[in-house]
């Protein structure tokens, strides 16, 4: 297997709005981030991925960009960015930018021009269609609810938006659009950034023929993401991007690819396909979805999760590269979602999930606050929620089609909504968790007095110290990065057991996903008798049996 720096790296994701506020306006910013770089160096991560820092009207918290070459005022200036880049590099930390080029904000100068007239030079930068029988061109439904088409009175046509109305889809068919994007990417690379995380990149190539899809969203539309995913020219576009930009630098590139299969991933992130380094797949985070999509309390069934993770581990082996994640700014906190965030189990549980993920093959991503075991937020009212997606789904299911009661929906939002990940980082036990001296834009989780970074950085038994150790082990043991993966006991509903192998070396990873104390199967006990040592474990004392949420890694 070819060795690469980005295969050996651990990435830390910062959601800038919620990381650290330096000026008391309740919004995180670049000077705040700079002040915490030593914390990240101490953790040992090699790369930071920044959710969008660009100028944006913030309809979708920066994923609606109005200027790709300017910094959002609330975050600071371009000088602050340059200083942050320099300070990060000084500490050996690389910087990966979010790249949101499926769509722009409707406030981007290209769109402002585009909507002016049918013959405007920017008209063809976006996707415009005539009405069909006086209605939307197709029945496609936007990811955040309603139609994916928005009527514009000025010209009597509809434009496509797969996300919010204010996020208009760019027309990748247009060569000039591609050139503008590639020029902008080169501009950032010239500045010295180290990579891109590419937002919904699997959705940029639209179908050849625009026709109705099967109706399947809660409000009677057809989910557009399923229709546009892995479109006819997506690989051609990425190969162009690779040639014009990516191949010229030594970058980490990761595509966010909803709807991706392992077969498709081998094209996006194949070692010889000249597109990206790796993709974020969604199958494992969709494991607890049902006919309501993610908006359900359906529990996770461990054999299903293991089957998905293992498929990705083995099918990409030697052909493409995995990204590894439980959390990000779109996912609820995993310990609240599939684990146990009670006082009794939160710590061991957080360490168990970390062990399971960090012992797999691929590049691990740590989402801010994960390293201290932050949890979901106890939302009870919809006005506590900022996220455009949760607000839309509340309106659809509670107000419009009455699928759920207010109480049911709030329970689901507290379990699955994106704001669970977006509450401010909990730095210490002072007011607002030390995030801001002003009023935070989104409430701080009330558990900040117990869960905060300050209480953990110097405690050798903390979750933070455990992550530190996992990250260090990855640097010390090649087998963790490059070893092959084999799943044991696929049907076991409590234990996730797998091995990693590199040459003569072998690791055995045992994780208990349940609250029960479990007897190990005899053949596993026999393997353990032969062990050469323990690499890491989340309980200190020995035990015959595997305790609730126990994780242990043996060297065989
Ligand atoms: C995926 C991003 O991760 C999410 O936060 C955003 O809302 C959509 N793409 C639209 O850009």
């Amino acid at each position: 297997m070819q060795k690469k720096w980005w295969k050996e790296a651990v990435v830390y994701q910062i959601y800038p709005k919620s990381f650290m506020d330096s000026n008391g306006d309740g919004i995180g910013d670049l000077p705040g981030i700079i002040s915490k770089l030593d914390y990240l160096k101490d953790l040992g991560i090699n790369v930071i991925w920044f959710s969008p820092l660009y100028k944006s009207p913030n309809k979708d918290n920066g994923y609606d960009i109005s200027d790709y070459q300017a910094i959002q005022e609330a975050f600071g200036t371009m000088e602050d960015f340059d200083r942050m880049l320099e300070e990060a590099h000084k500490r050996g930390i690389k910087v990966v930018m979010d790249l949101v080029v499926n769509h722009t904000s409707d406030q981007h100068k290209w769109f402002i021009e585009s909507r002016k007239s049918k013959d405007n030079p920017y008209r063809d930068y976006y996707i415009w269609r005539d009405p069909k029988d006086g209605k939307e061109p197709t029945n496609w439904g936007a990811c955040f609810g309603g139609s994916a088409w928005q009527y514009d009175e000025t010209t009597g046509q509809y434009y496509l938006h797969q996300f919010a109305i204010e996020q208009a889809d760019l027309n990748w068919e247009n060569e000039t659009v591609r050139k503008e994007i590639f020029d902008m990417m080169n501009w950032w690379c010239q500045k010295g950034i180290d990579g891109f995380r590419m937002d919904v990149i699997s959705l940029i190539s639209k179908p050849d023929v625009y026709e109705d899809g099967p109706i399947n969203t809660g409000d009677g539309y057809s989910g557009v993401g399923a229709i546009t995913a892995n479109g006819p020219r997506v690989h051609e576009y990425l190969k162009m991007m690779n040639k014009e930009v990516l191949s010229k630098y030594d970058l980490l590139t990761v595509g966010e690819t909803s709807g991706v299969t392992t077969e498709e991933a081998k094209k996006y992130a194949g070692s010889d396909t000249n597109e990206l380094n790796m993709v974020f797949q969604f199958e494992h985070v969709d494991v607890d979805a049902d006919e309501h999509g993610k908006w359900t309390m359906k529990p996770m069934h461990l054999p299903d999760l293991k089957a998905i993770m293992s498929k990705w581990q083995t099918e990409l082996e030697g052909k493409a590269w995995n990204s590894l994640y439980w959390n990000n700014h779109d996912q609820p906190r995993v310990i609240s979602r599939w684990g146990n965030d009670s006082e009794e189990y939160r710590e061991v549980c957080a360490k168990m999930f970390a062990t399971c993920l960090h012992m797999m093959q691929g590049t691990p991503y740590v989402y801010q606050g994960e390293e201290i075991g932050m949890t979901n937020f106890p939302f009870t009212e919809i006005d506590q929620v900022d996220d455009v997606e949760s607000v839309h789904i509340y309106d659809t299911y509670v107000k419009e089609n009455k699928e759920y009661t207010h109480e049911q929906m709030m329970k689901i939002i507290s379990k699955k909504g994106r704001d669970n990940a977006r509450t401010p980082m909990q730095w210490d036990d002072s007011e607002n968790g030390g995030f801001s001296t002003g009023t935070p834009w989104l409430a701080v989780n009330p558990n900040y007095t117990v869960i905060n970074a300050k209480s953990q950085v110097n405690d050798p038994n903390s979750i933070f110290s455990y992550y530190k150790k996992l990250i260090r082990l990855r640097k010390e043991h090649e087998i963790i990065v490059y070893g092959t993966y084999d799943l044991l006991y696929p049907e076991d509903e409590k234990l996730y057991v797998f091995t990693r192998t590199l040459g003569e070396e072998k690791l055995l990873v045992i994780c208990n996903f349940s609250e029960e104390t479990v007897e190990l199967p005899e053949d596993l006990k026999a393997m353990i008798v032969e062990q050469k040592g323990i690499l890491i474990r989340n309980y200190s004392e020995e035990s015959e049996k595997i305790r609730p949420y126990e994780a242990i890694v043996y060297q065989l």
Side-chain angles (χ1 to χ4, degrees), residues 288 294-299 331-339 376-377 379 409-418 420:
D288 54 0
K294 74 179 189 185
W295 304 106
T296 162
M297 295 297 277
K298 185 182 151 195
Q331 300 297 329
R333 301 280 179 182
V334 76
I335 53 173
S336 306
R337 178 186 194 172
W338 295 335
N376 277 359
F377 187 96
F379 296 108
M409 195 68 232
M410 290 317 299
K411 226 172 130 195
I412 298 173
I413 289 175
S414 305
K415 186 91 174 163
K416 295 290 194 63
R418 305 196 295 179
N420 289 299

Side-chain angles (χ1 to χ4, degrees), residues 60 63 103 144 163 197 199-200 256 329-330 418 422:
D60 187 20
Y63 284 90
H103 45 267
F144 299 152
F163 294 88
R197 172 269 185 190
D199 191 67
V200 293
E256 190 207 22
H329 66 292
D330 293 330
R418 305 196 295 179
R422 299 175 179 186

Side-chain angles (χ1 to χ4, degrees), residues 165-226:
I165 292 169
E166 298 85 356
Q167 290 166 298
D169 273 52
L170 282 164
N171 178 15
W172 273 75
E173 292 281 325
N174 182 342
E175 198 185 331
T176 320
V177 167
R178 298 196 300 265
K179 184 166 181 325
E180 295 254 27
I181 292 169
F182 299 159
D183 286 352
M184 174 273 287
M185 292 172 72
N186 273 313
W187 183 85
W188 280 103
C189 292
Q190 294 292 333
K191 244 184 184 309
I193 65 151
D194 307 288
F196 295 105
R197 172 269 185 190
M198 301 185 187
D199 191 67
V200 293
I201 204 72
S202 54
L203 310 185
I204 59 173
S205 165
K206 315 303 187 247
D208 292 332
V209 182
Y210 283 34
E211 53 192 22
D212 284 356
I215 292 177
N216 58 8
T217 59
D219 49 4
Y221 291 99
S222 216
V224 66

